[in-house]
Amino acid sequence: MREFLKRIFGGRKGYDIGIYLGREHLNAVQLRPGPAGPAVCAVSSITHGADLQAVRNDPRLLKRMLKQAFRRQPFSGKRVVTCLPNDLVRILLLTYPALPGVPDADSVVRELRGRVPGGLEGLVVDYLPVRQDNPSRPKEAIVAMADRDKVIAYLEVLASAGLTVAALD
């Protein structure tokens, strides 16, 4: 694992910063390479005292909160890994058929089209296969869906606050 992380992140002091913007707090954590593997370099939790929607719509407010968090601990860089706030994501467990020669992604999309009112247009969809142990039974996947415009707006507010998003979960 250590060698894998070293290849990906090279000689940087710290890895990307993990950011979670919750209902009441902005949480941030950053790891660094350590002798026994990754170790915590910096961690901060800032109570934003504002409506979550207001924070998501105001890059200046988010930037002030980030400065406050970054002043408290030795964070390095502006690359972040983040996830969408809970209220923007719909998560479901999907059962789909195991069809020979058909990729899982195609089966998941086909099954979702029959279940999502209004179709999949305008949505960002991601999935993670689970319970794949018996090929004769239907497969299951955890599916996350979000409105594309809201995803883009979230990424834009992060960029406007001076962050570079390396990954969005």
Side-chain angles (χ1 to χ4, degrees), residues 52 67 88 94 135 137 157 159:
L52 178 58
K67 280 185 182 179
L88 297 182
L94 180 75
R137 295 176 56 197
V157 78

Side-chain angles (χ1 to χ4, degrees), residues 106-120:
D106 292 346
S107 295
V108 167
V109 168
R110 182 183 5 239
E111 194 66 29
L112 280 174
R113 285 203 170 122
R115 291 191 186 193
V116 176
L120 301 177

Side-chain angles (χ1 to χ4, degrees), residues 113-168:
R113 285 203 170 122
R115 291 191 186 193
V116 176
L120 301 177
E121 295 302 315
L123 294 178
V124 174
V125 178
D126 196 7
Y127 75 96
L128 178 66
V130 294
R131 297 189 191 150
Q132 307 291 316
D133 54 345
N134 188 340
S136 65
R137 295 176 56 197
K139 295 183 175 187
E140 291 183 327
I142 297 171
V143 178
M145 299 180 290
D147 180 272
R148 181 180 291 126
D149 292 339
K150 290 180 180 179
V151 172
I152 291 169
Y154 184 65
L155 292 171
E156 286 176 348
V157 78
L158 293 172
S160 295
L163 301 174
T164 301
V165 177
L168 177 66

